[in-house]
Amino acid sequence: MGNKVAAVIGGGVIGGGWAARFLLNGWDVQIFDPDPQAERKVGEVLANARRSTPGLVDVVLPAEGKLTFHDTIEGAVDGAVWIQESVPEQLAIKHKTFAQIQGVCAPDAVIGSSTSGFKPSQLQEGAARPGQIIVAHPFNPVYLLPLIEVVPTAENTPAFLDGAEAILTSMGFYPLRVRKEIDAHIADRFLEAVWREALWLVKDGIATTEEIDNAIRYGFGIRWAQMGLFETYRVAGGEAGMKHFMAQFGPCLSWPWTKLMDVPEFTDELVDLIAGQSDAQSGAYSIRELERIRDNNLVSMMRALKAQDWGAGALMNAQEATLRAASPTGTRIDQMADVSTPLLTVHRAVPLDWTDYNGHMTEAKYLQVFGDATDRFMNMIGCDAEYIGAGGSYFTAETHIRHVDEALAGAVIAVRTQVLSGAGKKMHLFHELFEGERLLATGEHFLLHVNLETRRPSEPSAPVLAALERVADAHAALPSPKGVGRAVGQRP
Ligand SMILES: NC(=O)C1=CN([C@@H]2O[C@H](COP(=O)(O)OP(=O)(O)OC[C@H]3O[C@@H](n4cnc5c(N)ncnc54)[C@H](O)[C@@H]3O)[C@@H](O)[C@H]2O)C=CC1
Ligand SMILES: C[N+](C)(C)CC(=O)CC(=O)[O-]
């Protein structure tokens, strides 16, 4: 990918989210929004994103890009290879915006529209180069959720679409190409149906806004996040699966369970009823507080899916593997020319689900970071998944951690690992955890190589031992790090 410059036209809820996603993936972002409050509002979204997005993966994201605000569309799109339109949902405003963009932008830049409902053919009407415009419909918060509905027309070439989707994928998005354009694409058709039914339930006095939210979040909402609709229903069919499920529940669709397309009128009375109930339900929190609660929950759930390598979590692992391959933490010792200084074994951000009631990285996660650093070092010397699968590994026999300073969510942390000794079955490591130049903790660990069949200490393979000895010999020349061999209670 060449120039990583994006323009964001319209910096509201969604434009601000796009800006954050681009910036935190190393893109420079140029924003145009006529609202004098735009810079402040984007700043608030970015602050939320900085504490949540970097911790989605267990490896550091590219260095944050540069953010600039511009007085004109011309200024904002200058040099941009991706231009994201996020102006209000009115076709006339969108058409005027595209005309201004296309008057000045590069002819091969992608112009993505965040529209929730318009078809791409409607957006392309009257455009100078219709083939440059696609729907790229995101989900709020754009800096966390992976889905982008990419809706093209026949005007967009396959090569153009592939290029656009490659850019989205590189930022951890999941581009879902919609086969045929349709009002409101795929996901918003569901959301509209659910929204419509919920409005009826409130209007008819069946349920309050809070009861409806509880019906979703204590039940099918959790289910949907991991298996969606069809896979969930397949499981609900029991051993007989989907056919049985359809035979059993298909007839229900003709029962009067839903109001279908009948939309309740948005009278002042209905709006007041819903807004009043919503105030009673959630008014104790500010919108920014609710955003932070939402982000904490989303990151925790997405990281749980990541641990299962499933759905959105599998996507996060794929992005991590790409980032890891380009990182020194993914390099093997036999590929390194110089191993004479402590090795970078962890380089990542503190995820939101690692923080505690004190507002900082919790105690147990210091051990996790050092455990991860040890795993990475094992990988570097060749004790990788294949080696472990063949029956050899290291077990930790003793650990001593010194907690020196704190780290907050989103902080970029790094572990440098010094080999104190490495010979035969024994491996003695000293990890130092930093945020920038600030030392946060040290971890001293003694490990033994084991045979996974006998579960007894054993000699490592010759290549693993050679790699370990190479680093140990090189590190023997280093000064002994402060804190080595300490016991609890000793004065510094
Ligand atoms: N809010 C949501 O949940 C979602 C919204 N969308 C879509 O994103 C688009 C933007 O929606 P939101 O961000 O929610 O609206 P918003 O009202 O938060 O932001 C719109 C921004 O556009 C600016 N603006 C107005 N006229 C402009 C112009 N001529 N040029 C540049 N900026 C202009 C406004 O000052 C405002 O900051 C819409 O098409 C919407 O359908 C898509 C996904 C989710
Ligand atoms: C309400 N909405 C139609 C604007 C919602 C979306 O388009 C997607 C989302 O984030 O839910």
Side-chain angles (χ1 to χ4, degrees), residues 157-433:
T157 65
F160 175 82
L161 292 169
D162 289 348
E165 289 178 356
I167 290 176
L168 293 171
T169 304
S170 72
M171 294 192 288
F173 281 125
Y174 178 75
L176 176 62
R177 195 173 305 178
V178 179
R179 292 160 189 271
K180 263 187 189 177
E181 65 168 9
I182 183 170
D183 295 314
H185 329 310
I186 299 173
D188 274 357
R189 295 187 75 88
F190 290 129
L191 293 180
E192 288 298 297
V194 174
W195 173 230
R196 201 166 45 235
E197 292 301 318
L199 292 177
W200 276 120
L201 290 171
V202 177
K203 185 178 162 59
D204 292 348
I206 311 289
T208 63
T209 55
E210 185 166 7
E211 286 160 357
I212 290 171
D213 285 352
N214 288 345
I216 296 171
R217 64 183 159 177
Y218 291 121
F220 67 86
I222 303 177
R223 238 171 31 190
W224 277 1
Q226 48 84 50
M227 276 195 174
L229 181 66
F230 285 103
E231 214 161 37
T232 294
Y233 279 175
R234 180 185 177 83
V235 178
E239 287 179 6
M242 197 68 188
K243 277 200 167 164
H244 173 66
F245 180 84
M246 291 185 75
Q248 181 161 318
F249 298 108
C252 306
L253 293 177
S254 56
W255 298 348
W257 274 14
T258 72
K259 297 265 186 177
L260 297 174
M261 295 304 291
D262 191 3
V263 182
E265 198 188 333
F266 258 51
T267 59
D268 288 349
E269 196 189 354
L270 180 59
V271 171
D272 286 348
L273 178 66
I274 290 185
Q277 288 187 1
S278 176
D279 286 348
Q281 178 186 348
S282 318
Y285 299 106
S286 72
I287 294 297
R288 296 298 170 207
E289 281 170 331
L290 283 173
E291 282 175 347
R292 281 190 282 276
I293 293 167
R294 175 201 64 192
D295 292 354
N296 291 353
N297 294 335
L298 284 175
V299 170
S300 304
M301 291 193 294
M302 290 168 74
R303 287 184 57 78
L305 289 172
K306 183 173 183 295
Q308 298 302 318
D309 200 26
W310 184 263
L315 188 79
M316 289 150 69
N317 282 333
Q319 186 196 15
E320 181 173 308
T322 308
L323 292 166
R324 171 93 62 206
S327 146
T329 63
T331 309
R332 302 273 288 243
I333 298 297
D334 52 15
Q335 294 160 348
M336 292 184 194
D338 180 8
V339 294
S340 62
T341 52
L343 302 167
L344 183 70
T345 43
V346 168
H347 197 194
R348 58 163 309 142
V350 175
L352 273 172
D353 62 337
W354 282 17
T355 54
D356 62 16
Y357 47 82
N358 289 325
H360 57 198
M361 186 165 102
T362 200
E363 184 181 1
K365 296 303 174 187
Y366 284 80
L367 179 56
Q368 171 148 356
V369 173
F370 290 137
D372 290 348
T374 299
D375 287 351
R376 196 80 336 251
F377 180 73
M378 284 165 57
N379 229 276
M380 287 172 163
I381 59 173
C383 183
D384 55 14
E386 196 186 334
Y387 182 89
I388 293 167
S393 188
Y394 282 92
F395 285 2
T396 302
E398 189 168 341
T399 289
H400 183 93
I401 292 177
R402 290 160 67 229
H403 297 265
V404 179
D405 209 336
E406 62 177 1
L408 307 184
V412 173
I413 53 174
V415 175
R416 299 203 169 268
T417 299
Q418 182 168 338
V419 177
L420 298 176
S421 65
K425 303 164 195 160
K426 297 177 183 173
M427 180 158 86
H428 190 174
L429 302 179
F430 193 79
H431 301 305
E432 287 180 309
L433 172 65

Side-chain angles (χ1 to χ4, degrees), residues 10-14 32-35 86-89 94 114-116 137-138:
V13 173
I14 293 304
F32 168 71
D33 190 312
D35 179 0
S86 302
V87 302
E89 187 77 349
K94 295 205 185 270
S114 298
T115 180
S116 301
H137 177 232

Side-chain angles (χ1 to χ4, degrees), residues 8-18 32-38 41-42 73 84-90 93-94 96-97 100 113-118 136-142 185 188 191:
V8 169
I9 310 301
V13 173
I14 293 304
W18 274 104
F32 168 71
D33 190 312
D35 179 0
Q37 294 288 319
K41 289 184 189 166
V42 170
I73 283 186
Q84 187 67 26
E85 169 277 302
S86 302
V87 302
E89 187 77 349
Q90 290 175 39
I93 301 183
K94 295 205 185 270
K96 193 170 159 218
T97 304
Q100 285 178 274
S113 171
S114 298
T115 180
S116 301
F118 293 117
H137 177 232
F139 290 79
N140 191 32
V142 185
H185 329 310
D188 274 357
L191 293 180

